[in-house]
Amino acid sequence: MTQKEKMITRGQLFCFMVQAQIGVGILSLPFKLNEAAQGGGALSVLIAGIITQLFIILLWVLLKNFPGLNLFSICLKLGGPIIGRILIIAYIGYFILLGSNIMFSAVEVLQRWMLQSTPRWAILALFSIMTIYLAREKLTVLARFFTLATVLFVPLILFVSYGLTQAHLEFMLPLLENGFWNIMKGVQDSTISMYGFEMMLIVYPLSEGTNKQRLISISLASGFVTLLYVFVVSTCLMVFNSEQIKMIPEPVIYLVKSLNFYIVDRADILFLPIWAVTLVCSIVSYCYAASIGLSVLFSRKSHKRFTPFVKIISFMIALAPVTPAGAHLFDTVTTYAAYVFIAGFSMVLLMLSLFMKRKSGGSA
């Protein structure tokens, strides 16, 4: 197979990034934003989208300085064989942790709305089996599946759009009711829900196009996710008033469930399986990234043999929290880990790359 055949197209890159970013957070985001920003929740999402775009540009600069290299190869390039491998192990742990958190959150949602009597380990096992089957494949296979799964956004958006028939714009007004500071507090929850854009550190070198073209594809994907989140949050805030949303942890599902489609009694039973496919894509992307990291760490050409190992660890981590306090701790650790690895280590790698580039330019 030639190198060109291994590359994914710009359209597939767009779909891959969209699927990697959209996860469980979109279901509960209106509930979280209502607590902080109330009617200004949509503004929080827009600001979070701008912040995400800034981080995408910074990561793009890092990747542009090392043509053809992914995150793990860059770690070895900048940190050397010892520090570089320590960084790779840390990033592998981060990707496994985030993948486990997504699985855990998904199981909690499914048990609340559909599978109340199903043991958690059984649902986790189903997610793990699906993930292993996909994540062991090449990126081109994943990209084709993610592209096909993107079609499912059409019924998801239609389900939510039907809620506009019951919308009341005055529920959102005034937008600055809680003040600009509280809107900025809501930015944190919005940004957390948009994690997944760091997957560009893995797939960027294996995508077609110039650096500018690939940046445009990733930026458009982030923009699509931001607008989708704005639409979902705004719809929920217009359908439910502030006091109602306080009692609904997943307003998006409740919105779909409350709609009357005449021929369908519970539309949420259709909505959740469709949403679960998108969720599987997000889990697969993190499993794939961790497996690629292990293949680089042990100098292997294929990541397939490491995928089952990654999923066993993810399964055990997602199975560990058994109390609400444990679940909250798990979610908190994941949040701070994202801060450290996206806003911390990645920016350190960027500064080191710029320093090395300036030093090599000065020497010349």
Side-chain angles (χ1 to χ4, degrees), residues 48 183-193 195 335-336 339:
I183 288 178
M184 293 307 296
K185 286 183 179 179
V187 171
Q188 178 181 358
D189 292 321
S190 302
T191 305
I192 292 172
S193 299
Y195 288 158
T335 300
Y336 282 105
Y339 291 155

Side-chain angles (χ1 to χ4, degrees), residues 173-298:
L173 301 176
L175 294 178
L176 300 178
E177 178 182 2
N178 267 24
F180 187 74
W181 175 247
N182 285 317
I183 288 178
M184 293 307 296
K185 286 183 179 179
V187 171
Q188 178 181 358
D189 292 321
S190 302
T191 305
I192 292 172
S193 299
M194 293 183 184
Y195 288 158
F197 64 88
E198 67 272 23
M199 284 298 108
M200 66 182 289
L201 293 168
I202 309 299
V203 303
Y204 185 89
L206 293 175
S207 56
E208 295 177 349
T210 63
N211 287 318
K212 183 178 179 180
Q213 289 172 334
R214 285 180 282 184
L215 174 62
I216 291 174
S217 296
I218 296 171
S219 297
L220 288 175
S222 180
F224 173 81
V225 172
T226 300
L227 292 177
L228 177 62
Y229 277 34
V230 168
F231 171 70
V232 171
V233 169
S234 299
T235 301
C236 289
L237 293 178
M238 287 189 292
V239 172
F240 307 110
N241 62 43
S242 180
E243 295 302 318
Q244 290 173 329
I245 292 185
K246 288 179 181 178
M247 299 181 289
I248 311 172
E250 285 93 24
V252 179
I253 302 177
Y254 192 85
L255 168 66
V256 176
K257 180 182 178 181
S258 64
L259 298 177
N260 183 9
F261 290 97
Y262 300 105
I263 60 173
V264 179
D265 185 34
R266 285 190 59 185
D268 59 305
I269 300 298
L270 296 176
F271 177 87
L272 283 171
I274 297 174
W275 162 78
V277 175
T278 297
L279 199 65
V280 167
C281 293
S282 184
I283 299 170
V284 166
S285 64
Y286 282 109
C287 180
Y288 174 80
S291 302
I292 291 293
L294 286 170
S295 68
V296 174
L297 184 66
F298 293 102

